[in-house]
Amino acid sequence: MTQATLGARPREWPTARSSRQGILAQFGDGRADLAGWALTTGDPLADAVVEELHSSGHDARAKLHHGIEHGLASVDDPPPGVAALLEQTETAPAYVDDTLLDEASLPFFSAPPPVHIVSLAAGALVRTYQSPSMATVLAMTGRLVDGVPRRLRETGRWVNTAMLPGSLRRGNAGYVATLQVRMMHAHMRRLARRRGYDEAAYGVPVNQVDLARTWMDFTLVSYRAEEIMGFPRTSAELASLYRYWSYVGHLLGVDPRLIEGISGHDDAQRVDDLMQAVTGPAIPETAVLAAATLETIAGTLNEVARVPHGMARQALRALARRFHGNTVLDELGLPGGAVTDALLSPAFHAIRIRRNRLRRDRPPGGKPSRPTSPPRANWPGTSRNRRPTSTPPGPVSNSDSPYDDSRRSNGEDHAGHPGSRSHRQARGGHRSE
């Protein structure tokens, strides 16, 4: 995204997102200006495409779909918005090379799928829902609670697909899935505005602060949660993952000024402090979403690991308190469990010792084994013996299609599913530009 596209606009500071004076005093003029711009800016390129889809109908949708999968050069007479979006996504940042695309995500797979399930739900998503603006947007879908299993399923599939080595090459499964998420956000932005979202209070729906903060949830929050559970990563592994996620952020339309150059938790924390300062207090919908998320994952852990549902619920609440702190969980009305929490420490200690022993036994220079398919994590709504349904991935979902908010493709070739065309091509797509 060019800096011209991301230029500041003279808009009022949202009243429910702290104040410019407070942010100025805490972070200085430059960062306060950036935060103010980010609160009042969505994703101009994707938003323009959504307007084209609604004005031009099937032809624009077909060209967008074709361009995402096959590249801008393959599209005859693309609409201006579609052309601009694809030009931005296909212009890879200078740090993107074959090594990043093929190897930078490998440390992600050093933790097993159940750990990712817990860090995503009790870690990343519980904090994502703490944002009043994100919770408000989800409430406007009309499926605040009954949509939780689907959102978890779609988000888990997207993350697993995007992290596959080679999958972010243009036209491959992770690239396609990530642009679908970006378009989903743009559709949600338009829907929220049409349903009376209060921009004066919260800023633009799914704005740049929301996007950058959610990026932190999938990186800083998730990886720290996995460290707490006994699965730490080395500084080199974290640098590799943050670099990889910088490119994911590029594809998602996150302003590079907010996330690029982050190479470890300390760097991420400095940015996250600013994002948190302008997030605003939680609203009642946040508590509803957090409780429903943990309840859904408790059922998933029962299916995956045969953990009794009640025990899983208590463990997840105890873990969420470790991830986010007692103050946050008290505000959300999620009770703790002293007995369960006391049992977690020795379990995590044993896991950490075993993991350290295994890592010491790895040959010098050895890397985590290269995954050949997305981990079978049994996300909510999928059966252990049934192929997952073909639903577009995305953390914010009201539409049934990534290209418009009223239709869903009935195709069975879900991006990234083992055996699908898109997954078989995960290593053979376009090389980095």
Side-chain angles (χ1 to χ4, degrees), residues 62-335:
K63 289 182 177 181
L64 172 64
H65 193 156
H66 186 84
I68 288 175
E69 292 196 343
H70 303 287
L72 174 59
S74 70
V75 182
D76 293 331
D77 192 24
V82 171
L85 176 72
L86 294 177
E87 181 180 5
Q88 182 263 330
T89 59
E90 293 177 15
T91 305
Y95 59 83
V96 177
D97 56 20
D98 289 338
T99 299
L100 179 141
L101 294 171
D102 291 336
E103 300 180 7
S105 67
L106 288 176
F108 173 81
F109 298 97
S110 64
V115 172
H116 294 318
I117 292 177
V118 173
S119 70
L120 172 68
L125 292 181
V126 165
R127 203 188 79 140
T128 296
Y129 298 151
Q130 291 171 32
S131 165
S133 58
M134 295 297 283
T136 299
V137 169
L138 288 171
M140 286 181 166
T141 68
R143 301 181 64 223
L144 188 68
V145 174
D146 62 1
V148 167
R150 176 181 169 181
R151 283 193 292 271
L152 284 168
R153 180 177 66 248
E154 293 171 349
T155 305
R157 288 180 184 172
W158 165 61
V159 172
N160 286 335
T161 301
M163 297 306 287
L164 282 175
S167 71
L168 291 187
R169 279 192 164 81
R170 177 158 47 92
N172 282 356
Y175 177 92
V176 171
T178 302
L179 290 189
Q180 289 175 346
V181 172
R182 184 173 181 175
M183 292 308 305
M184 196 81 74
H185 289 161
H187 283 293
M188 290 304 302
R189 204 173 288 115
R190 185 178 191 273
L191 177 68
R193 282 169 161 161
R194 291 169 66 86
R195 293 188 177 180
Y197 177 91
D198 190 353
E199 292 194 43
Y202 298 122
V204 169
V206 197
N207 58 55
Q208 286 289 320
V209 166
D210 297 327
L211 292 174
R213 186 176 178 276
T214 302
W215 187 93
M216 293 292 174
D217 294 338
F218 288 113
T219 52
L220 177 67
V221 174
S222 288
Y223 297 149
R224 279 183 168 168
E226 294 181 4
E227 290 170 8
I228 290 172
M229 291 187 284
F231 292 88
R233 294 177 174 89
T234 67
S235 58
E237 289 171 332
L238 287 172
S240 180
L241 287 170
Y242 275 113
R243 190 162 162 259
Y244 189 84
W245 269 94
S246 290
Y247 185 45
V248 176
H250 167 80
L251 297 177
L252 287 172
V254 183
D255 182 342
R257 292 176 294 177
L258 297 173
I259 61 172
E260 282 189 7
I262 293 175
S263 61
H265 289 341
D266 290 344
D267 294 338
Q269 188 63 62
R270 281 190 288 272
V271 177
D272 193 61
D273 288 343
L274 176 62
M275 299 298 102
Q276 284 290 86
V278 297
T279 292
I283 58 177
E285 288 82 356
T286 292
V288 174
L289 284 164
T293 297
L294 296 184
E295 188 67 22
T296 300
I297 292 301
T300 300
L301 291 177
N302 177 257
E303 294 178 10
V304 174
R306 303 302 187 192
V307 179
H309 191 98
M311 183 183 297
R313 183 193 300 116
Q314 293 180 29
L316 286 167
R317 288 175 176 174
L319 284 168
R321 285 184 173 270
R322 293 196 174 207
F323 299 161
H324 306 291
N326 289 327
T327 300
V328 170
L329 270 293
D330 288 342
E331 290 175 352
L332 297 179
L334 295 174

Side-chain angles (χ1 to χ4, degrees), residues 381-405:
T382 63
S383 166
R384 187 169 298 193
N385 298 313
R386 186 180 74 244
R387 178 177 179 167
T389 55
S390 177
T391 53
V396 178
S397 173
N398 180 62
S399 76
D400 285 332
S401 164
Y403 307 115
D404 70 63
D405 43 18

